[in-house]
């Protein structure tokens, strides 16, 4: 008895020392990051909300269960390990008394049954994981596997470790039954099966097995615990912390302002030599950024949904996070060194790691290749899918900010867009006066705000640069204005006083140009006394609703599809003329994933008589990007398949007469892809892409206004 106490406690002490040392080192590394006081303040401000989120995301496994089979397998394993804490208590109690029973629970058969049920659940979970990993073996499936690029060897070791935890437990409990010291008289069905198998060995052998396997159980649990602190399975400990401090409601919607030392940068006072401008080195990331990196489970859910990865680009959101994490760990001795002398004494490989540029091509030894950084469309699919709430877009944007503002390094073709924004307030460099050209010939006068908005005006109609200046998008603008006029909605536009919201500048990383444009617009809107805005472009909608409040511009903002669907529901617009077409709707990322507007455009289509809606395979939360977001609209797409072509290929599988959407960027991108498909005969000549507002206008205004 004394010997097994000594062995059990000695193993525990060694494991606790190894794991504790590692966790202390990781904690010091995390603390070396920039401060993020806003994360702590948010948790302090909404503790009840955060407990609810923890309950849903961590205990309820909300995001994981969206992937039915692997989600259930993970939930079984997770919940199993929570219940199996009882068996760990019993094992340690058994070290001191073979007849140990947990106080209060005692010999309650329900506890014994629950322990065995969840042990069996864990086994079922890991068998499922093993089958999934074999079926999605990256060696065979290549890029199509979500595990491509993950550390698969470590994952198999973890599955083996979990199996050994359950296997040693059941052998130990079976032997306990045979030696008459098992706490539960009934209910522990799996342990009884093990006991049945071991019974023929006799009492003496079972006594030996009981002692050997109680120690084996402790050793396996401890070894697993230590391994976890050195592997991607660190997420077991870190995921609840990362979820707790992730931004709310999620990492989608608006971008965060640039912060240095935890304080929002004021460009008039900021000093590029003293302040942190974006992320130019790994130590520029906040502790929350470093926590994101350490929490990644390498599950590849993000990678499987990324349009850049799906079309052959080098960007994988998973590998981006892994590369940052590997670099942070390799550079850690340099980061944690207390002085320049200590740093100078570090081994060569650490010095080399410390000298690597954060963003740079392979020849420069960069951690993140520039092509990876600029391939992101900000579609949000990665953030949406990540079960541990990692904020990929924030990290990508922060690295872009440093590249643009400090290094002046970004795709050259985007420079004219930035120059046009600065000089003309729109990405195409068109004259301000042309912002009202779309309003000519509508048959009614579009009111333009003159100084202040009239008290009788219900909505300021934010037209947006594309809606005002791009020929295809102008048709959407005209349809919206016509519908609002027909419904008797009192609206006005800013006309030449409207400038770009700054979205393309902000998404490419030029926070300076963004804040200049945003402040100009906010001054115009505030001076005009605007309270309620309807926006036709999801990018404008997102920027004004989610980002302008950071600069003092707070308005009630809705998207045109939300207003139009409400007008239809209220009977103020009545679609009567049938549109006998099969239509598939493409979810714009900045309307859907970023702002959760999925039903309004579909409701409009459902009210148009004759329309047969057909969803694409990837729709709603899993919608596939058109390729224009993240300022990609103004960059060349040189690698892999074009994202808009991939989307149109998927749309064509529904054999549509028309493709509908609710975003001028999507309209242009999908329209271009359709035009290319027509030249090859892959799309019928009559196929077109329209905004749902155009569809509604065709039905509301007989005869249909076919564009
Ligand atoms: S935002 Fe979209 S394109 Fe960018 S990394 Fe995530 S999934 Fe890929
Ligand atoms: S970033 Fe999130 S979704 Fe992607 S591999 Fe890591 S844990 Fe999975």
């Amino acid at each position: 008895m004394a010997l097994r106490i000594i062995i059990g406690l000695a193993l525990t002490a060694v494991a606790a020392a190894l794991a504790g040392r590692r966790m202390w080192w990781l904690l010091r590394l995390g603390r070396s990051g920039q401060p993020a006081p806003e994360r702590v303040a948010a948790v302090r401000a909404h503790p009840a909300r955060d407990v609810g989120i923890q309950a849903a995301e961590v205990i309820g496994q909300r995001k994981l269960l969206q992937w039915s089979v692997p989600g259930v397998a993970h939930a079984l394993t997770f919940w199993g390990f929570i219940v199996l804490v009882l068996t760990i208590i019993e094992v340690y109690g058994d070290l001191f008394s073979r007849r140990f029973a947990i106080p209060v629970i005692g010999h309650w058969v329900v506890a014994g049954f629950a322990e065995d049920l969840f042990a069996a659940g864990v086994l079922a979970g890991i068998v499922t994981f093993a089958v999934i990993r074999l079926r999605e073996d990256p060696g065979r499936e290549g890029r199509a596997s979500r595990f491509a690029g993950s550390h698969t060897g470590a994952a198999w070791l973890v599955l083996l470790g979990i199996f050994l935890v359950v296997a040693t437990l059941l052998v130990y409990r079976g032997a306990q039954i045979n030696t008459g010291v098992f706490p539960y008289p009934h209910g522990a069905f799996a342990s009884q099966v093990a006991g049945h198998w071991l019974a023929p060995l006799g009492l003496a052998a079972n006594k030996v097995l009981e002692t050997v396997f109680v120690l084996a159980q402790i050793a396996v649990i401890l070894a697993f615990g230590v391994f976890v602190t050195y592997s991607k399975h660190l997420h077991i400990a870190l995921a609840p912390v990362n979820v707790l401090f992730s931004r709310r409601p999620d990492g989608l919607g608006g971008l965060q302002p640039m912060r240095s030392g935890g304080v929002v940068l004021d460009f008039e006072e900021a000093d590029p030599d003293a302040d942190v401008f974006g992320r130019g080195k790994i130590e520029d990331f906040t502790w929350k950024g470093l926590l994101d990196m350490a929490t990644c489970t390498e599950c590849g859910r993000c990678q499987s949904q990324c349009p850049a990865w799906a079309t052959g680009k080098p960007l994988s959101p998973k590998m981006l996070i892994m590369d940052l994490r590997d670099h942070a760990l390799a550079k850690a001795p340099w980061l944690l060194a207390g002085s320049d002398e200590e740093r100078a004494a570090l081994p060569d490989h650490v010095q080399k790691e410390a000298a690597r540029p954060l963003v740079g091509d392979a020849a420069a030894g960069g951690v993140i290749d520039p092509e990876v950084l600029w391939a992101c469309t900000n579609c949000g699919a990665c953030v949406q899918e990540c079960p541990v709430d990692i904020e990929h877009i924030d990290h990508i944007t922060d690295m872009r900010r440093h590249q643009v503002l400090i290094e002046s390094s970004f795709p050259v073709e985007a420079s004219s867009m930035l120059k046009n924004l600065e000089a003309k307030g729109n990405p195409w460099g068109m004259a301000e006066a042309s912002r009202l050209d779309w309003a000519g010939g509508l048959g009614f006068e579009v009111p333009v705000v003159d100084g202040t908005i009239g008290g009788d005006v219900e909505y300021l109609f934010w037209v947006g640069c594309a809606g005002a200046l791009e020929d295809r998008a102008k048709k959407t603008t005209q349809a919206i204005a016509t519908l609002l006029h027909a419904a008797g909605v009192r609206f006005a536009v800013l006309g030449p006083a409207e400038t770009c919201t700054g979205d393309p500048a902000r998404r490419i990383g030029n926070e300076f140009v963004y804040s200049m444009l945003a402040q100009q617009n906010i001054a115009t809107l505030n001076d005009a006394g605007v309270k309620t805005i309807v926006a036709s472009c999801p990018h404008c909608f997102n920027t004004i609703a989610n980002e302008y409040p950071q600069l003092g511009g707070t308005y009630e903002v809705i998207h045109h599809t939300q207003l139009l669907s409400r007008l239809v529901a209220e009977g103020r617009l009545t679609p009567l003329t049938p549109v006998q077409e099969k239509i598939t709707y493409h979810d714009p990322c900045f309307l859907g994933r970023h702002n959760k507007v999925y039903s309004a455009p579909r409701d409009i289509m459902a009210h148009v008589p004759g329309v047969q809606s057909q969803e694409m395979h990837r729709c709603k939360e899993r919608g596939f990007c058109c390729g224009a977001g993240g300022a990609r609209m103004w960059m060349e797409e040189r690698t892999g398949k074009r994202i808009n072509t991939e989307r149109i290929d998927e749309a064509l599988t529904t054999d549509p007469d028309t493709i509908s959407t609710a975003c001028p960027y999507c309209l242009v991108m999908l329209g271009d892809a359709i035009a290319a498909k027509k030249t090859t005969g892959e799309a019928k000549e009559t196929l077109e892409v329209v905004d749902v507002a155009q569809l509604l206008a065709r039905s509301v205004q007989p005869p249909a206004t076919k564009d």
Side-chain angles (χ1 to χ4, degrees), residues 15 217-229:
Q217 163 79 167
I218 288 173
V220 168
I221 289 172
L222 293 173
F224 184 66
V226 173
F227 179 72
V228 158
T229 65

Side-chain angles (χ1 to χ4, degrees), residues 513-550:
V513 171
Y514 160 74
S515 54
M516 184 187 79
L517 293 166
Q519 281 166 0
Q520 183 180 336
N521 279 323
I522 290 167
T524 305
L525 292 166
N526 288 351
D527 290 350
V530 171
K531 300 269 182 289
T532 316
I533 296 173
V534 56
S536 65
C537 170
H539 299 265
C540 300
F541 167 62
N542 180 65
T543 306
I544 300 172
N546 300 321
E547 299 181 347
Y548 278 14
Q550 296 163 3

Side-chain angles (χ1 to χ4, degrees), residues 224-388:
F224 184 66
V226 173
F227 179 72
V228 158
T229 65
Y230 284 84
S231 73
K232 76 183 182 84
H233 273 70
L234 198 56
H235 79 267
I236 293 171
L238 298 186
V241 187
N242 206 47
V243 170
L244 180 68
F245 288 106
S246 59
R247 66 183 173 95
R248 299 293 166 217
D250 54 27
L252 296 169
L255 288 173
Q256 296 293 287
M258 277 176 66
R259 289 188 171 88
S260 173
V263 178
V264 175
L265 268 187
D266 176 345
F267 279 106
E268 292 193 2
E269 295 181 1
D271 176 358
D273 294 325
D275 288 311
V276 173
F277 270 59
R279 311 285 178 252
K281 322 185 269 306
I282 198 73
E283 54 266 43
D284 291 344
F285 284 82
T286 66
W287 60 261
K288 176 61 177 64
L290 295 171
L291 184 61
D292 269 2
M293 296 167 206
T295 309
C296 178
T297 71
E298 302 181 18
C299 68
R301 283 170 170 79
C302 55
Q303 179 174 290
S304 74
Q305 303 298 312
C306 176
W309 182 258
T311 54
K313 319 285 188 285
L315 166 63
S316 148
K318 173 186 74 179
M319 289 187 226
L320 179 129
I321 296 294
M322 287 170 62
D323 288 345
L324 290 172
R325 178 195 59 200
D326 293 347
H327 174 59
L329 292 174
K331 191 176 175 181
W334 193 90
L335 297 173
L336 297 176
S339 63
D340 288 346
E341 290 74 33
E342 270 185 49
R343 288 197 178 110
L346 289 169
D348 278 357
H349 68 273
V350 179
Q351 308 274 3
K352 272 192 195 148
E353 193 68 34
R356 290 178 73 192
L358 187 68
V359 176
D361 59 21
V367 177
I368 303 296
D369 192 282
E371 199 181 344
V372 167
L373 189 65
W374 298 111
C376 176
T377 67
N378 281 204
C379 73
C382 49
V383 179
Q384 169 86 31
E385 290 299 327
C386 182
V388 293

Side-chain angles (χ1 to χ4, degrees), residues 62-86:
R62 182 183 68 83
K63 279 190 167 180
L64 284 153
L65 286 170
Q66 286 168 358
W67 289 54
S68 42
V69 174
V72 170
H74 192 278
L76 283 174
T77 312
F78 173 78
W79 293 330
F81 266 87
I82 290 180
V83 173
L84 291 181
V85 168
L86 292 178

